[in-house]
Amino acid sequence: MENGKKIEIKAPENNAENLYVKSLNVNQQSYSKNWLSHKELMKGAVLDFKMDGKPNKERGSQEKDFPYSMSKEESNK
């Protein structure tokens, strides 16, 4: 990147049968969110995807894993 940092994406099990993300580690830490922030990526990162032939319906399904939404904020007023 312009700032000299790098983003490395690993998905060694990715193939025609393993299309689904089973889990994700970001900088060797488990990461369950469904999004990555630009701010965090600009620091540089290693994204290590574990792939599988079946979707992991539990991953990213908790409210804490959802991205921020202004529309949700409006509904709480």
Side-chain angles (χ1 to χ4, degrees):
M1 294 186 290
E2 291 177 0
N3 64 4
K5 303 291 183 176
K6 295 181 182 181
I7 298 173
E8 183 178 353
I9 301 172
K10 300 178 182 180
E13 298 94 8
N14 188 33
N15 59 43
E17 289 81 35
N18 292 334
L19 301 175
Y20 300 99
V21 176
K22 181 175 183 177
S23 64
L24 171 61
N25 284 346
V26 177
N27 298 326
Q28 299 180 343
Q29 299 293 314
S30 180
Y31 193 85
S32 61
K33 295 177 182 170
N34 291 320
W35 55 280
L36 297 160
S37 75
H38 179 262
K39 182 179 176 181
E40 291 301 313
L41 288 176
M42 290 304 293
K43 295 177 184 178
V46 176
L47 310 177
D48 189 8
F49 289 88
K50 300 296 180 203
M51 306 300 288
D52 196 47
K54 299 175 191 169
N56 178 352
K57 295 181 180 180
E58 298 299 316
R59 187 189 172 283
S61 63
Q62 302 297 311
E63 189 168 341
K64 68 179 180 65
D65 299 326
F66 302 158
Y68 169 77
S69 171
M70 287 181 69
S71 62
K72 184 174 180 187
E73 188 175 288
E74 291 294 319
S75 68
N76 290 331
K77 288 184 176 182

